[in-house]
Amino acid sequence: MTRKVQARTLATRDRLLAAGRELWAEGGASGLRTDEVVLRAGTAKGTFFAHFPDRDHFLATLLAEQLTARVAALPVPADRADLQAVLAAIFTAFAEEADTVALLARFSGPAGAGLGLDLMICAAIERLAQGLAAMQPRGLVANRAEPAVLAEALMALVFHAAASAQCPLHGDRAAVRARAEALLQAMTAALLGG
Amino acid sequence: MTRKVQARTLATRDRLLAAGRELWAEGGASGLRTDEVVLRAGTAKGTFFAHFPDRDHFLATLLAEQLTARVAALPVPADRADLQAVLAAIFTAFAEEADTVALLARFSGPAGAGLGLDLMICAAIERLAQGLAAMQPRGLVANRAEPAVLAEALMALVFHAAASAQCPLHGDRAAVRARAEALLQAMTAALLGG
DNA sequence: GCGATAAACTGACCGTGGTCAATAATAAAA
DNA sequence: TTTTATTATTGACCACGGTCAGTTTATCGC
């Protein structure tokens, strides 16, 4: 017999996530300690792991929140310039932290079911596919493949570019990032023509 | 004044890597403990971290060995069937373990300079590009973009498919893998025609 | 050969992610 | 309300990656 979930359960979870949001903002994902999270949330450490299987699932949940909001704010691209801007925005979001790329690689697929990252990816693909479907009859896209497939391929290219933009500390971050963006643009052109 | 590197240094490094290879074969990357590595190698723990900045760099070095060998064994694809086979082989190698995907995401770019993963990726791209360059004039590839760019995009698609093939334990691995392979094939067709 | 100096190695120690048997709080049954 | 069953929480504890001051071993100039 399953009982209804207690109100305090959700409250505890929210306190943990709120503390996580604060700490992420203060020191990034890599600087987020579970000890600090439970301290701020006012719970015991065991409670944290009763709510989240491990630290990475917790981080992935927070990341899903952020990225979902950012993706929701993106327009459906109406032309190639729009499209490039949208892809650049997603690239920027993905490449922001090294942890972001790692978390996406691990949890954007079936392994992250229920965390929200997969839904966020789907939402982004959906948005791109809508734009592509409208652009194809106008001849703005050379490739006549299924919009959904093209959109998924575009996301793969963005992700690859974001991964290749990760650089060691003290490296020339700006240069590496610029190269990654150029790479993304070249691959996009190869896929869609133009 | 820099002195020449001592022979024992290389010997120690080799012993560590040999122990790592054994343990990887026995229990996979996720089951590899640094304590066990140094025990088998007959060194102190500090020695391990004098040779490798952290556990992940050690794993990436081992992974680079494996993947480089597997990539070197691949043929230059002569037609579309060949190409699909080569991509499937790379996909299989990438998707073998969840750690593989994570390590590639982190160390295949500038962050992994000197570990060999980046060179392995370059070698794979080079091989694909050679095949594509020969296939384009024969009309076997619809897309006329630069072979090098196409090859890099293909690697991005393979990586994306491998990442999306990661599934939670006790999930239906075969089904998830099959879906990922179908996805890869669809994206490849979208990029190259056919 | 013999110091002097740099490189390699050591292992006790620490920080932090993660566990689990015990306890408290809540919802359902009596 | 009181009792019972289930869920939520606790915090001492452990495992393991990573550090560093100190020691040993090699290479160099003489």
Side-chain angles (χ1 to χ4, degrees):
Chain A
M1 176 68 81
T2 64
R3 298 181 168 186
K4 77 174 183 184
V5 359
Q6 302 176 14
R8 66 167 175 163
T9 304
L10 299 176
T12 302
R13 185 188 155 90
D14 282 349
R15 287 210 314 280
L16 288 167
L17 287 171
R21 248 167 269 152
E22 283 179 29
L23 289 165
W24 187 313
E26 289 171 21
S30 60
L32 186 149
R33 307 277 147 247
T34 57
D35 282 340
E36 193 74 21
V37 172
V38 298
L39 187 70
R40 291 213 190 180
T43 74
K45 204 168 186 177
T47 303
F48 180 97
F49 289 99
H51 283 262
F52 304 94
D54 57 33
R55 177 176 176 274
D56 276 1
H57 277 76
F58 181 69
L59 291 179
T61 304
L62 290 172
L63 181 64
E65 280 183 5
Q66 292 176 218
L67 292 184
T68 299
R70 291 174 78 161
V71 164
L74 292 175
V76 172
D79 55 31
R80 286 296 290 272
D82 267 16
L83 181 67
Q84 208 62 45
V86 167
L87 292 180
I90 301 177
F91 167 81
T92 301
F94 283 12
E96 210 151 73
E97 280 193 71
D99 299 86
T100 304
V101 176
L103 289 170
L104 281 168
R106 205 171 141 198
F107 294 116
S108 64
L115 297 180
L117 278 182
D118 51 347
L119 299 178
M120 171 255 135
I121 300 275
C122 285
I125 290 175
E126 175 66 26
R127 210 161 277 251
L128 289 175
Q130 268 183 22
L132 289 169
M135 288 161 68
Q136 278 182 340
R138 293 172 59 206
L140 298 179
V141 172
N143 202 317
R144 282 285 174 177
E146 281 288 333
V149 175
L150 285 179
E152 177 128 22
L154 280 175
M155 287 299 284
L157 300 185
V158 170
F159 186 82
H160 184 254
S164 79
Q166 299 314 312
C167 49
L169 260 52
H170 302 302
D172 189 344
R173 231 178 295 183
V176 170
R177 212 196 123 123
R179 244 204 325 271
E181 284 214 64
L183 168 67
L184 174 59
Q185 200 143 2
M187 292 192 301
T188 305
L191 181 63
L192 304 180
Chain B
M1 176 68 82
T2 63
R3 299 182 169 182
K4 77 174 181 184
V5 11
Q6 302 177 15
R8 66 169 175 162
T9 304
L10 300 176
T12 302
R13 186 188 155 89
D14 283 348
R15 287 211 313 282
L16 288 168
L17 288 172
R21 263 181 299 254
E22 284 180 27
L23 289 165
W24 187 312
E26 289 171 22
S30 61
L32 186 149
R33 308 276 147 249
T34 56
D35 282 338
E36 193 73 21
V37 172
V38 298
L39 187 67
R40 290 213 189 180
T43 73
K45 204 166 187 177
T47 303
F48 180 97
F49 291 99
H51 283 264
F52 303 93
D54 57 33
R55 178 176 175 274
D56 276 2
H57 277 76
F58 181 70
L59 290 178
T61 304
L62 290 173
L63 181 63
E65 280 183 4
Q66 293 175 217
L67 292 183
T68 300
R70 292 174 78 159
V71 164
L74 293 175
V76 173
D79 54 32
R80 287 298 290 273
D82 268 15
L83 181 67
Q84 208 61 46
V86 166
L87 292 179
I90 301 177
F91 166 82
T92 301
F94 282 13
E96 210 151 73
E97 280 193 70
D99 299 86
T100 303
V101 176
L103 289 169
L104 281 168
R106 204 171 141 197
F107 294 117
S108 64
L115 297 180
L117 279 182
D118 50 348
L119 298 178
M120 172 256 136
I121 300 276
C122 285
I125 290 175
E126 175 65 26
R127 209 160 278 251
L128 289 175
Q130 267 183 21
L132 289 169
M135 288 162 69
Q136 278 182 340
R138 294 172 58 206
L140 298 178
V141 171
N143 202 317
R144 280 286 174 177
E146 281 287 332
V149 175
L150 285 179
E152 177 128 22
L154 281 175
M155 287 298 284
L157 301 185
V158 170
F159 186 82
H160 184 254
S164 79
Q166 299 313 313
C167 49
L169 259 52
H170 302 301
D172 188 344
R173 232 178 292 184
V176 170
R177 213 197 120 121
R179 247 208 319 272
E181 284 215 63
L183 168 67
L184 174 58
Q185 198 142 5
M187 292 193 300
T188 305
L191 180 63
L192 304 180

